[in-house]
Every structure is written in C-alpha cells, then in structure tokens.
Amino acid sequence: DISWSLINTTGGNQYIYTSTALIHNNIMYIWRNNNLYYLNLSTGTWTTINNITSQNDGEYHAGVVYGDKLIFYGGGAATNDDQYNNYNVTQIDLTTTPPTSSSFTTLYSGNKSNEPKNRSAMKMFVHNNKLIFFGGYVKNTSNTSNTSGTYYNDIWEFNLT
C-alpha cells in the first residue's frame, strides 16, 4: 500500500532545519551548527551530541554519504543570506560510533578564487570518487523581494582520492 505513516520517536527536543539529513547504516545524521543529531531508525531514538566540533558551519550546506563518512560543503552560520561563508569540505568519520570531536576533519579549507562561490540551496552527490556540486542561490538582502538574488547553475567537482 502506497501511503504515509508517522514514525514515533523519542529523545528529540529541538526543531532541526537548514541542514542536510544523511542516512548511514540505518541511522539518520544531521549536523547543525556545532551539534550532531542522529536518529536510530530501528528504535526511533534521537541522540544529540552537543558541541561535537568548534566548527560552527553546520547550516545551509550540502552533504553526501561516501563510504563510512559524511561529507559536507558550503553553508555557514549566517545571520543573513549574503553571509554563507563556509568554503570548507568537512568530513565526519563514522567508523567510531557514536562519532566524537576527533571524527571531524576539514578536507579542504577554502575561500580561494578557484572554487564555487558561497551559497545555499545547492545540490551535491558523489560520482567516481568526486563530489559533484551543482547550483544554488544567494538572496540579495538589500531587496525585500523573496526572488531577488543570484541563482547559480554552475557545476564543480572535488576529487576525494
């Protein structure tokens, strides 16, 4: 039967938004700000690891599962849409369960001319050991229209090997 059904969960105590949800080994992971949230899909139990990293860029990013790792690009802790300022490629190693602060690694620290511009609403996937990054949007905060801003249709790749 094709239909929706609510999954009952326990332990969740916060609204989670502006983040990417990724599933690895029946656990859904969400990195937001410097906290890691994960939901065991077998038990329906949420767990929060507060202050797992000092990196405060777990918002408005794109993320993928790559082997036993979660990889994120972009986003930031913006106070407005012009401040998505994270050019890092960040990796969370899932071979330690639950992940710890040492599970976080910066694979690339950016803000150089030969990389994508900062943005939100981008799409990312892995193909042939490369991150493929597409599109995105940056709102023009000087204009009150919700449609005013810069839309991107560029495609970038980042070699993971």
Side-chain angles (χ1 to χ4, degrees):
D1 182 26
I2 299 175
S3 64
W4 287 98
S5 61
L6 180 65
I7 299 172
N8 293 317
T9 63
T10 60
N13 59 3
Q14 179 175 343
Y15 294 103
I16 302 172
Y17 55 95
T18 68
S19 300
T20 302
L22 301 171
I23 294 178
H24 178 268
N25 289 343
N26 211 37
I27 297 176
M28 179 177 68
Y29 293 90
I30 300 174
W31 176 33
R32 183 166 192 281
N33 294 328
N34 56 356
N35 302 323
L36 184 66
Y37 305 89
Y38 59 96
L39 174 66
N40 183 315
L41 295 170
S42 296
T43 64
T45 304
W46 279 103
T47 302
T48 302
I49 304 174
N50 292 310
N51 302 312
I52 192 168
T53 178
S54 61
Q55 291 179 250
N56 195 19
D57 46 11
E59 280 187 36
Y60 301 102
H61 51 250
V64 298
V65 176
Y66 179 66
D68 286 333
K69 297 170 178 58
L70 307 180
I71 299 178
F72 298 94
Y73 175 79
T79 56
N80 66 58
D81 284 347
D82 289 332
Q83 295 177 344
Y84 299 116
N85 54 7
N86 179 23
Y87 294 89
N88 295 340
V89 177
T90 302
Q91 168 183 286
I92 303 174
D93 187 337
L94 299 177
T95 56
T96 301
T97 303
T100 64
S101 59
S102 63
S103 302
F104 278 73
T105 306
T106 300
L107 298 178
Y108 174 83
S109 183
N111 199 10
K112 302 174 179 80
S113 61
N114 59 335
E115 64 189 20
K117 300 288 185 195
N118 55 342
R119 63 192 77 183
S120 65
M122 58 279 194
K123 307 302 177 229
M124 189 168 72
F125 56 93
V126 174
H127 180 67
N128 290 334
N129 296 313
K130 295 180 181 180
L131 293 178
I132 308 294
F133 176 95
F134 172 73
Y137 172 74
V138 175
K139 182 179 177 183
N140 178 355
T141 57
S142 63
N143 187 322
T144 58
S145 168
N146 287 336
T147 60
S148 175
T150 303
Y151 293 87
Y152 294 96
N153 66 354
D154 51 350
I155 300 174
W156 291 79
E157 67 181 17
F158 180 83
N159 192 349
L160 292 167
T161 57

